[in-house]
Amino acid sequence: MLRQALLFASRSGGARRIMETAPFTGDVVRRFVAGETVEDAARVTGDLTAEGLLVTLDVLGEGTEDGGRVEANADHYVALLERLGESGLGARAEVSVKLSAIGLSLGEETALENARRICGAARSASTTVTLDMEEHTAVDATLRIVHELRRDFPDVGAVIQAYLRRAEEHCAELAYEGSRVRLCKGAYAAPEAVAFTDKEEIDKSYVRCMKVLMAGKGYPMLATHDPRLIDIGGALAVLNERDADTFEYQMLYGIRSAEQRRLAGKGAQVRVYVAYGPDWYEYFMRRLAERPANLKLFARSLVGRA
């Protein structure tokens, strides 16, 4: 119930206004959002990669319906990738792109055209792109665009959300050689007809999907902070005789940082999902919905104790 309430609040203009003006909000947001500019993103990326971690960068600004802003978002990604290339960070940092930020609401062709431009900039920077998955209504369009992009950019990553009932099916379709697939639990509201709503069922789906990906020929990217799921991922790597460089763990910036470093210290590939930009509200609210400890941290900050 709490998760659903927070996800509802992520779309509420009234809740947004309260959050944006509340005392101490900024202090907590900065624990999960790297800043607002390309310079902020480059600084955090440099710090994380210096510690042996990989990075994926997300420019916040999803759900864009204005054509001018869509182009500005695509331009921002190109500028970010140019910065990564110039600073030599391309080998350790990629970008994550939400299609709703670069024109999906204006049509698949618009989103595809902008995604192609971003993928070209990524190639020039010696890195790649992962297309984030969003609302359940966008799954089919996103996968179509992934498949189309992979004709010219075969290293484009896809994302599957385990809370969706078709997740295992999609994982099986994507577990082919060279296919980069991020598996996450999912952080959007969805009707029960298309999604599991019980935590235990979502966890079971995640394990089923993980088994498919780890037994396949692709490159699984296991996005979770759950210690049990991390352990299962490690066990599946041993079972399927996977070397450490054939899969990776992914975690969010500001969450379980010590665990990120512990895994990397043991030789695992660990990528940190770093979001930045002024449009932080929806992203931040989904982080609260994902993990109750995040909500407790925010509540303490509001009364000046964090």
Side-chain angles (χ1 to χ4, degrees), residues 30-299:
R30 280 190 290 272
R31 300 181 189 225
F32 305 105
V33 178
E36 297 192 359
T37 67
V38 169
E39 288 70 28
D40 291 330
R43 172 182 50 79
V44 170
T45 298
D47 290 344
L48 292 170
T49 56
E51 295 187 65
L53 297 163
L54 303 170
V55 171
T56 186
L57 288 158
D58 172 23
V59 181
L60 297 173
E62 63 190 271
T64 304
E65 298 181 356
D66 176 79
R69 191 174 174 195
V70 162
E71 290 304 309
N73 286 341
D75 290 344
H76 191 125
Y77 268 107
V78 171
L80 170 63
L81 286 159
E82 289 174 350
R83 177 63 179 272
L84 293 178
E86 291 166 359
S87 57
L89 292 170
R92 305 287 295 175
E94 61 148 39
V95 298
S96 288
V97 178
K98 289 182 173 60
L99 290 175
S100 72
I102 59 168
L104 188 58
S105 66
L106 306 179
E108 287 186 37
E109 284 301 316
T110 299
L112 176 59
E113 180 181 348
N114 282 321
R116 282 189 189 281
R117 185 155 67 96
I118 293 168
C119 288
R123 177 172 287 173
S124 296
S126 301
T127 187
T128 188
V129 174
T130 294
L131 294 188
D132 272 330
M133 193 61 75
E134 303 180 67
E135 302 279 1
H136 70 281
T137 53
V139 170
D140 290 341
T142 301
L143 291 178
R144 282 194 296 269
I145 291 175
V146 166
H147 290 307
E148 187 62 32
L149 287 172
R150 284 182 173 181
R151 296 176 186 272
D152 298 316
F153 304 96
D155 54 0
V156 166
V159 178
I160 300 300
Q161 300 173 110
Y163 83 132
L164 295 177
R165 295 181 183 273
R166 294 183 63 193
E168 189 176 356
E169 172 190 339
H170 289 314
C171 284
E173 293 170 350
L174 289 166
Y176 54 84
E177 189 168 356
S179 176
R180 298 169 60 250
V181 182
R182 177 193 299 154
L183 177 65
C184 63
K185 289 187 179 181
Y188 293 86
E192 193 169 356
V194 299
F196 300 109
T197 57
D198 178 75
K199 180 184 182 303
E200 184 176 349
E201 289 299 321
I202 295 172
D203 286 353
K204 288 178 179 178
S205 176
Y206 193 100
V207 172
R208 291 194 299 270
C209 291
M210 192 160 40
K211 287 179 177 179
V212 170
L213 293 174
M214 294 296 278
K217 296 182 179 180
Y219 181 84
M221 300 180 287
L222 309 179
T224 181
H225 305 99
D226 189 322
R228 293 184 310 110
L229 296 179
I230 291 171
D231 288 345
I232 292 171
L236 288 171
V238 173
L239 179 65
N240 291 283
E241 300 182 336
R242 279 187 170 271
D243 294 332
D245 61 355
T246 65
F247 74 103
E248 67 185 46
Y249 298 101
Q250 294 192 355
M251 297 188 192
L252 297 169
Y253 177 68
I255 300 180
R256 300 203 71 199
S257 299
E259 177 66 1
Q260 296 169 15
R261 288 156 179 79
R262 185 190 73 82
L263 288 168
K266 292 178 62 179
Q269 301 262 44
V270 181
R271 192 176 300 274
V272 183
Y273 188 103
V274 177
Y276 77 98
D279 297 322
W280 53 265
Y281 175 74
E282 287 189 30
Y283 174 85
F284 178 66
M285 291 300 289
R286 289 200 303 274
R287 299 295 77 78
L288 296 183
E290 283 177 338
R291 190 166 178 256
N294 297 340
L295 182 59
K296 293 176 183 176
L297 173 65
F298 178 68

